[in-house]
Amino acid sequence: MSRARAMWQRLPTPVTGLALVAVAAVDVWLNMGEHTPLELALAAIGCTALAFRRRFPLGVFLLTLPVALMQDVAVAVLAALFTLAERSRNRRLLAVCVALAAVASSTPWPLAEVDRTMTLIFFVYGLATAAAPVLFGQLLQAQRDLARRLAEIEEAKEHERALHAQAVLARERAQLAREMHDVVSHQVSLIAVRAGALQVAAKDADAKEAARTIRSLSVTTLDELRTMVTLLRASGGDATELTPQPTLADLRKLVESSGTHAQLTGELPPTVSTPAQRALYRTVQEALTNVRKHAPGARARVELWQASDGIGVTVTNTPPTRPSLSLPGSQQGLVGLRERADILRGTLEAGPTAEGGYRVRLRIPLSAD
């Protein structure tokens, strides 16, 4: 059945339209008995209208209804119903059309004395007959929708795979950049330092020139290496990550230069791991930035604390004393902090206080530290 439908769909639209008109006309000719010129004209109009069923499905169905009066089961009516159901999503309209087709097929023609029992039986059969093409049309419509949806899902998956491949490539490039910066640049810097020392200490002119040349080439190599590392990190992260990462020792300077009335209290042991120190630093940095942007004039307190099962920092600010300015923001600061906390199996809590201020609290378990 699917192969036949595929062959039918491959035919040009005018050809299928003419073929359906011919089939409907033959069906009317074989099933109509004695007919008047009016009946013949109505049947001809209904059959011919099938050629335009795709553009005007409802109008074509209404034009084929007179054919249903003349015979019990008409191909023209069924074809019109199928096309209407295939293209319409109005279930109420389809139900009304099924009822109209059943009424037309069960109404005696020409009008004569009506046997109510037989008319009711014919009406029930007409309903079943008219419902069949509607169900097939709706099924085909659902199949097309499903195919379209599957195509969209496959396209989204392909896009996701492409993004994943780009992310993997970015991580590899970032890792390569870090390795080049941490290893190669360190070795080349040592070469440059040793060459500089040799240039100062050497007595022979040729040795001095050779040392100067080595030092010059080393400096040039370092400049080219930094350029290459920057290019590698272009899709793998921010080039500023090549600078030394902040630690807890930089917190006091951060608080003092934050541009807010902030106070740092508490301390943590120096044994805190480097990832935990960076997470604590970035949390304080983001919290103080938000205070400066959204709570002008507020006072902030940065408290480092240590418990039996973890370490953390709490940044609390008072309500603002001045209206805040409308400053652009990515709305991703707290999201990034939560991601850092999740990586360390910690938690980040952020929300307003009862006094009208705001509190950000990061907790990192000792097991992660």
Side-chain angles (χ1 to χ4, degrees):
M1 181 177 178
S2 59
R3 182 178 300 178
R5 188 180 68 187
M7 293 178 61
W8 178 266
Q9 290 176 346
R10 282 198 293 267
L11 293 175
T13 301
V15 174
T16 58
L18 292 176
L20 188 57
V21 170
V23 171
V26 171
D27 175 67
V28 170
W29 179 70
L30 291 177
N31 289 279
M32 284 184 64
E34 297 180 359
H35 54 268
T36 64
L38 177 60
E39 294 173 349
L40 186 61
L42 291 175
I45 292 174
C47 294
T48 306
L50 290 176
F52 307 95
R53 71 195 186 283
R54 298 181 184 274
R55 296 185 61 184
F56 312 103
L58 181 58
V60 170
F61 166 73
L62 295 176
L63 289 177
T64 59
L65 278 179
V67 181
L69 289 171
M70 306 171 199
Q71 60 187 85
D72 295 335
V73 180
V75 171
V77 179
L78 299 182
L81 272 175
F82 174 79
T83 304
L84 179 62
E86 181 190 5
R87 295 176 175 271
S88 175
R89 299 182 184 274
N90 191 335
R91 301 293 176 82
R92 293 183 179 180
L93 174 63
L94 294 176
V96 171
C97 291
V98 168
L100 287 176
V103 169
S105 63
S106 61
T107 301
W109 187 265
L111 294 176
E113 185 177 351
V114 178
D115 186 344
R116 294 183 179 180
T117 302
M118 292 304 299
T119 301
L120 180 59
I121 293 175
F122 286 144
F123 177 73
V124 172
Y125 279 111
L127 278 179
T129 304
V134 171
L135 293 177
F136 279 116
Q138 289 285 281
L139 179 62
L140 182 60
Q141 183 184 104
Q143 184 183 20
R144 281 203 306 264
D145 292 342
L146 181 59
R148 189 181 306 112
R149 180 59 179 162
L150 288 176
E152 292 175 356
I153 293 175
E154 185 61 30
E155 183 179 354
K157 286 184 176 180
E158 186 64 29
H159 181 63
E160 184 179 354
R161 284 193 290 267
L163 290 179
H164 177 70
Q166 292 178 6
V168 171
L169 179 60
R171 286 196 297 268
E172 291 177 350
R173 296 178 68 175
Q175 183 178 2
L176 178 60
R178 284 193 296 269
E179 294 296 330
M180 291 180 63
H181 180 265
D182 296 341
V183 178
V184 182
S185 63
H186 176 70
Q187 301 295 338
V188 176
S189 298
L190 288 178
I191 294 173
V193 171
R194 293 295 181 88
L198 179 61
Q199 182 181 357
V200 173
K203 302 299 183 181
D204 184 65
D206 293 336
K208 282 182 174 289
E209 181 62 22
R212 188 193 66 78
T213 302
I214 293 174
R215 184 175 183 279
S216 177
L217 290 175
S218 299
V219 172
T220 303
T221 302
L222 279 175
D223 291 338
E224 293 178 354
L225 178 62
R226 290 192 180 96
T227 302
M228 187 180 301
V229 167
T230 303
L231 291 176
L232 283 174
R233 293 200 61 83
S235 63
D238 192 351
T240 57
E241 294 181 12
L242 294 175
T243 60
Q245 294 297 307
T247 62
L248 291 178
D250 303 308
L251 264 184
R252 187 165 299 280
K253 180 179 179 182
L254 172 66
V255 172
E256 293 174 352
S257 62
S258 63
T260 61
H261 300 287
Q263 178 184 6
L264 176 63
T265 62
E267 60 181 19
L268 292 175
T271 56
V272 176
S273 66
T274 301
Q277 291 191 44
R278 282 203 290 263
L280 293 166
Y281 183 94
R282 295 304 183 191
T283 299
V284 175
Q285 184 181 46
E286 179 66 23
L288 293 180
T289 299
N290 288 337
V291 171
R292 188 170 63 251
K293 289 171 57 177
H294 305 300
R299 294 183 175 273
R301 181 180 179 184
V302 180
E303 180 185 2
L304 297 172
W305 50 268
Q306 181 176 7
S308 59
D309 59 345
I311 60 174
V313 63
T314 302
V315 183
T316 309
N317 65 270
T318 60
T321 59
R322 303 189 304 272
S324 61
L325 299 176
S326 178
L327 296 176
S330 63
Q331 308 296 327
Q332 297 296 317
L334 292 178
V335 175
L337 294 182
R338 286 194 175 90
E339 290 177 353
R340 285 180 179 269
D342 290 340
I343 292 174
L344 296 173
R345 300 191 298 278
T347 58
L348 181 82
E349 300 174 359
T353 63
E355 295 78 15
Y358 203 83
R359 178 183 293 112
V360 177
R361 182 177 185 273
L362 172 67
R363 176 189 172 278
I364 300 174
L366 291 178
S367 58
D369 181 51

